[in-house]
């Protein structure tokens, strides 16, 4: 996600945030950059089977929200003019080298509406300390994970990973409600789903298309089902202790143990 500092101009104005969102041809990025292997809307709820009862497809959101995921450069220019930037403005984004190619596409789209984006590539240590310390002047490219309720706190005011510097009482109240019902899954899920339309509509940061990730493993790797994380974030690498190698099957298939 392109995390815009919502506590400073120009991104404290929702018209500017919406303008940048509608300046991006996301479908083109999905088709040309990801080869069709990506989706537009993946945050704050990922459309996986366990979460589909909370997920809002784009077509179920208000038209004004759906526009954020559509390509409307003329509306972008109009919004910038209304916000006091008829000639656009200069801005910058901090990122890692791996994100530079994708951001170059965003830079080109922004240029079409008069926004000059400077891409500041940093090595990992400097990049991470910049983000954690909220030292980015304008934007930072930071990944968010919609896979657990823990990561809903990314948008909670004062949280260490709130890179967009969001301070929204509605989101804060929803976060408290989610925590209250954390072990009461029906009420927790209802509270989480309730905040989704508001959170997306505010356009606090720009979602990049979420690419599909495929995991492959050999048939002789047993008791593995593609897991990346077991439990919460701190247990992300703990699945290895449950995996074993069927040496007989491996020898049968490859001739080697």
């Amino acid at each position: 996600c392109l995390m815009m500092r919502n506590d400073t101009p120009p991104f404290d104005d929702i018209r500017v945030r919406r303008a940048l969102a509608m300046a991006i041809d996301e479908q083109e990025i999905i088709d040309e950059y990801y080869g069709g292997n990506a989706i537009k809307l993946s945050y704050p709820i990922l459309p996986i089977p366990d979460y589909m009862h909370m997920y809002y497809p784009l077509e179920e959101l208000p038209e004004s929200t759906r526009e954020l995921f559509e390509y409307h450069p003329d509306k972008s220019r109009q919004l910038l003019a209304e916000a006091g930037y008829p000639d656009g403005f200069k801005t910058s984004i901090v990122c890692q080298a791996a994100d530079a190619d994708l951001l170059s596409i965003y830079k080109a789209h922004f240029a079409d509406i008069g926004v000059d984006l400077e891409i500041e590539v940093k090595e990992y240590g400097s990049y991470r300390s910049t983000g954690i310390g909220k030292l980015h002047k304008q934007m930072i490219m930071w990944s968010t994970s919609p896979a657990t309720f823990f990561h809903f706190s990314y948008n909670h005011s004062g949280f260490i990973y709130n890179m967009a510097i969001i301070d929204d009482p509605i989101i804060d109240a929803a976060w408290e409600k989610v925590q209250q019902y954390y072990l009461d899954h029906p009420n927790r899920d209802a509270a989480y789903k309730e905040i989704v339309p508001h959170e997306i509509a505010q356009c606090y940061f720009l979602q990049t298309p979420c690419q599909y990730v495929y995991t492959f493993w050999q048939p002789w790797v047993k008791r593995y089902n593609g897991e990346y994380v077991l439990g919460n974030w701190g247990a992300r690498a703990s699945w290895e202790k449950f995996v074993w190698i069927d040496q007989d099957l491996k020898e049968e298939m490859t001739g080697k143990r």
Side-chain angles (χ1 to χ4, degrees):
C1 295
L2 282 71
M3 298 294 190
M4 303 172 280
R5 289 194 70 118
N6 286 262
D7 62 337
T8 59
F11 304 122
D12 57 346
D13 191 325
I14 190 173
R15 293 172 296 184
V16 173
R17 302 196 298 268
R18 287 181 59 86
L20 293 190
M22 290 190 286
I24 303 302
D25 190 341
E26 291 198 349
Q27 192 58 53
E28 180 184 66
I29 293 175
I30 290 173
D31 294 339
E32 301 297 328
Y33 187 79
Y34 291 112
N37 295 306
I39 57 174
K40 288 184 180 181
L41 180 58
S42 63
Y43 191 92
I45 296 290
L46 192 67
I48 59 176
D50 288 352
Y51 290 172
M52 287 307 295
H53 63 293
M54 295 181 288
Y55 182 73
Y56 277 92
L58 275 174
E59 58 269 21
E60 293 183 11
L61 293 170
E63 181 181 357
S64 60
T65 303
R66 296 198 303 271
E67 283 185 332
L68 299 173
F69 299 88
E70 299 169 355
Y71 184 46
H72 298 293
D74 290 339
K75 288 186 178 181
S76 294
R77 298 184 189 96
Q78 179 182 344
L79 284 171
L80 287 181
E82 292 175 2
Y85 303 96
D87 299 320
F89 57 87
K90 291 185 177 181
T91 187
S92 62
I93 187 166
V94 173
C95 70
Q96 299 180 83
D99 296 319
D101 285 347
L102 177 59
L103 286 175
S104 68
I105 301 175
Y106 280 74
K107 178 181 175 69
H109 282 299
F110 289 164
D112 288 341
I113 63 167
V115 175
D116 182 7
L117 177 66
E118 179 186 1
I119 301 174
E120 301 179 9
V121 179
K122 294 182 178 290
E123 57 84 23
Y124 182 74
S126 176
Y127 160 80
R128 186 167 179 82
S129 62
T130 297
I132 297 297
K134 311 296 189 299
L135 301 177
H136 49 292
K137 295 179 181 179
Q138 294 280 281
M139 291 190 281
I140 188 169
M141 186 76 161
W142 199 271
S143 63
T144 57
S145 172
T148 67
F149 288 92
F150 168 79
H151 289 92
F152 176 48
S153 60
Y154 271 38
N155 304 322
H156 178 49
S157 62
F159 187 63
I160 188 173
Y161 290 119
N162 184 356
M163 303 304 173
I165 328 294
I166 299 167
D167 186 3
D168 185 331
I170 297 177
I171 290 180
D172 288 352
W175 170 242
E176 293 299 327
K177 195 173 182 179
V178 166
Q179 293 301 294
Q180 176 185 352
Y181 292 119
Y182 199 82
L183 298 179
D184 179 353
H185 292 187
N187 281 318
R188 180 199 65 180
D189 294 358
Y192 200 37
K193 183 175 183 177
E194 184 179 7
I195 192 60
V196 169
H198 169 80
E199 188 171 358
I200 298 174
Q202 297 307 304
C203 194
Y204 285 127
F205 48 81
L206 302 184
Q207 292 191 38
T208 58
C210 181
Q211 63 179 320
Y212 300 137
V213 177
Y214 301 93
T215 302
F216 301 89
W217 61 95
Q218 298 290 357
W220 55 79
V221 178
K222 301 298 184 180
R223 296 191 67 186
Y224 181 66
N225 298 285
E227 296 87 351
Y228 175 62
V229 175
L230 296 182
N232 211 324
W233 192 249
R236 64 184 303 179
S238 63
W239 55 266
E240 295 97 330
K241 62 186 177 183
F242 299 105
V243 173
W244 62 282
I245 304 298
D246 187 333
Q247 296 289 358
D248 293 335
L249 179 59
K250 181 180 179 182
E251 183 176 21
E252 179 183 335
M253 297 183 69
T254 69
K256 298 179 181 180
R257 296 183 70 84

